Amino acid sequence: MSSSAPLKIGITCYPTVGGSGILAAELGTELLARGHEVHFISYEKPFRLPADHPRVFFHPVTVNTYGLFKYPDYTLPLSVRMAEVARDHRLDILHVHYAVPHATAAILAREMLPPDHPVRIVTTLHGTDTTLLGRDPGYGPAIRHALERSDAITTVSEFLRRETINHLGVRCPIDVIHNFFEPGTPGRSRAEVRRELGVGDEALILHISNLRPVKRIDLLLEAAARIRPTDRFKLLIVAGEDFAPFQADVRRLGLEGRVIVRERINRVEDFLQAADLAMFSSETESFCLAILEAMCFGVPSVSTAVGGIPEVVADGTTGCLVPFGDPDALAAAAGRLVSDPALRQRLGAAGRTRAAELFSAARIVPRYVDLYRRVMDTPPSSGQV
Ligand code: GMT
């Protein structure tokens, strides 16, 4: 295949709010912009995919609800759809984001195709597919099997590559391709957004996440309650899920009036440009896309130094890292930034530069395209390692 011929790529991801789905949708959009053909195969259209893009193909997977099944099955209908789309559109690559169950479905789909159509499979591991499910005896062997039969494996950080080797015992090569983010244009001005949020000249601290247990919202709120001076900040939580379960903590900690919540927001740019700093209390993160999103808007983060976050944040230069599980340390670091606009400005500017140099689409997308071409030039995986 010529090194500039457009590729036909099928992308499967979780379409709901979450970093892996965001990355997959952004990658698809960037590949389209570079002239490749992209087909999304999932149970719903990824939420960050532009609704009106003329060349985005979306192939829904229908999940049955047979009375015999106690639990609906997604893996088999997904694999059948992948095989159909691969055959009908002569796909070169199936690129799956988050191994479970997407990588297994892709391997099955390849088995369903005729031998003269060896679609290549690229599996990108995003985080808990290795760190949580990879350790689960009910999933680990299936994940390892699918990885070893993939034509290429990527992880979004060096940390996740090491975890995958250590916990899954995967012996085939793994490419580290960090996440990227290309900021869209905000729909409203910073002043308008802050006015709508009821924020005056206080520092606006931003937290964006899907609120899963690993994000440790309990510690985030504990830290917020300890930030001094108390009247100099507001905390905006942009929540991918329902925040109601945490409202009792907000009241217990006396944070009413200081915590603002916005739920299920599709485009986060309005809030990123309105923020002064961001705060994250996660127990583990393979990357933390929200930190990168903030960096792109010159917003420094205070975060736990877990997983792949130290690959994203240059501690003391583009943000502040503190040990996990120490709300006092998180509060002290946030308090320093709340009280020091010049420091925020310095770290934010350095973060924006780092994001452009290391984590832009221009830097990262060609690495995926090179990987696709490399696997196209190599015989398909036989699964022997
Ligand atoms: O692995 C997960 O928990 C889900 C996944 C997601 O879809 O939100 O998050 C992971 O992938 C993101 C995108 O690569 C990373 O930014 C997150 O750090 C990572 N989450 C964890 O590792 C807990």
Side-chain angles (χ1 to χ4, degrees), residues 11-208:
I11 294 184
T12 293
C13 63
Y14 283 104
T16 48
V17 180
S20 59
I22 294 171
L23 194 277
E26 299 280 340
L27 176 60
T29 312
E30 292 290 333
L31 291 167
L32 279 167
R34 286 160 173 78
H36 303 288
E37 189 174 305
V38 180
H39 296 257
F40 281 89
I41 308 159
S42 186
Y43 61 87
E44 252 169 39
K45 201 165 176 174
F47 83 105
R48 283 261 184 112
L49 208 57
D52 50 358
H53 199 295
R55 284 188 299 120
V56 169
F57 295 93
F58 171 60
H59 307 274
V61 178
T62 307
V63 179
N64 67 62
T65 48
Y66 291 129
L68 180 65
F69 292 175
K70 185 169 173 193
Y71 305 105
D73 169 54
Y74 179 56
T75 311
L76 292 183
L78 173 62
S79 66
V80 169
R81 197 77 171 117
M82 283 170 148
E84 281 169 3
V85 175
R87 185 194 58 223
D88 295 350
H89 297 270
R90 290 299 301 176
L91 295 188
D92 299 307
I93 306 273
L94 286 170
H95 186 175
V96 298
H97 291 262
Y98 202 90
V100 181
H102 305 146
T104 299
I107 305 298
L108 274 171
R110 185 176 60 194
E111 296 280 309
M112 290 176 216
L113 289 168
D116 67 339
H117 183 189
V119 70
R120 306 302 203 275
I121 296 168
V122 175
T123 299
T124 291
L125 294 163
H126 278 272
T128 48
D129 38 5
T130 285
T131 56
L132 198 65
L133 297 177
R135 295 169 193 237
D136 182 331
Y139 283 90
I143 298 172
R144 184 171 193 264
H145 167 268
L147 293 177
E148 288 181 343
R149 278 159 180 74
S150 296
D151 294 283
I153 308 166
T154 79
T155 57
V156 299
S157 61
E158 183 56 46
F159 158 79
L160 192 57
R161 191 182 79 87
R162 284 195 306 271
E163 289 286 295
T164 305
I165 294 167
N166 292 343
H167 296 298
L168 281 159
V170 171
R171 281 166 292 142
C172 22
I174 299 176
D175 288 76
V176 176
I177 304 184
H178 284 125
N179 286 331
F180 67 91
F181 182 66
E182 280 303 307
T185 312
R188 294 173 292 164
S189 71
R190 174 177 160 96
E192 270 178 287
V193 177
R194 288 175 72 98
R195 203 173 316 117
E196 182 257 313
L197 293 170
V199 178
D201 59 3
E202 311 97 313
L204 181 61
I205 306 177
L206 176 65
H207 174 85
I208 306 180

Side-chain angles (χ1 to χ4, degrees), residues 207-220:
H207 174 85
I208 306 180
S209 82
N210 48 30
L211 310 181
R212 293 199 185 118
V214 78
K215 306 291 175 184
R216 297 302 300 264
I217 301 302
D218 56 331
L219 295 178
L220 182 87

Side-chain angles (χ1 to χ4, degrees), residues 205 222-233 253 255 258 328 330-340:
I205 306 177
E222 287 285 346
R226 297 177 199 191
I227 295 174
R228 299 290 178 269
T230 49
D231 59 348
R232 295 307 306 144
F233 77 92
L253 293 162
L255 285 168
R258 267 184 291 157
D328 283 322
L330 207 53
R336 269 196 305 282
L337 288 175
V338 163
S339 314
D340 190 343

